[in-house]
Amino acid sequence: EKWWPYINYVGNMEHLSEDVRHFLQSIRSTKNGVSAWDHIGKKGWSDNEKSCDVSGEGSTFLEKKDTHHKTNAEDKMRMYYTPELERFIELTYWKDYYNPYFHFTP
């Protein structure tokens, strides 16, 4: 708890793409003043998913739906995430949900 005032950015998985854009727009090069969003975020990585080359015209950073790596995680979560487990999580991590630095919406 004592470190929260020193953390200057908390992203949220529920809207990761928007948070990443906001974060990358806030980072600027000291050499040319270009934001990290303008340098890499607008273009994404490249058309080659295995490459980190930003010279391609890939999709915007973190927006591409990559079916190659699809895991059906939501189906697996629904199989194991029981109502009892959900209640346990709510009781155990309630402080995180109400932490003003996270900006969670109900």
Side-chain angles (χ1 to χ4, degrees), residues 9-73:
Y9 194 86
V10 176
N12 189 318
M13 292 298 287
E14 292 175 347
H15 37 80
L16 183 60
S17 184
E18 293 89 7
D19 284 352
V20 166
R21 181 179 183 150
H22 180 263
F23 181 68
L24 292 177
Q25 286 174 333
S26 73
I27 301 171
R28 298 204 166 269
S29 168
T30 57
K31 294 181 180 180
N32 59 15
V34 175
S35 74
W37 176 255
D38 289 333
H39 180 68
I40 193 171
K42 282 183 182 178
K43 298 183 231 175
W45 293 113
S46 75
D47 289 332
N48 179 355
E49 294 174 8
K50 299 193 184 325
S51 170
C52 291
D53 178 17
V54 297
S55 62
E57 291 299 320
S59 60
T60 303
F61 190 71
L62 290 179
E63 287 187 352
K64 184 172 183 181
K65 303 293 186 202
D66 183 1
T67 57
H68 176 70
H69 294 102
K70 188 174 180 179
T71 65
N72 295 319

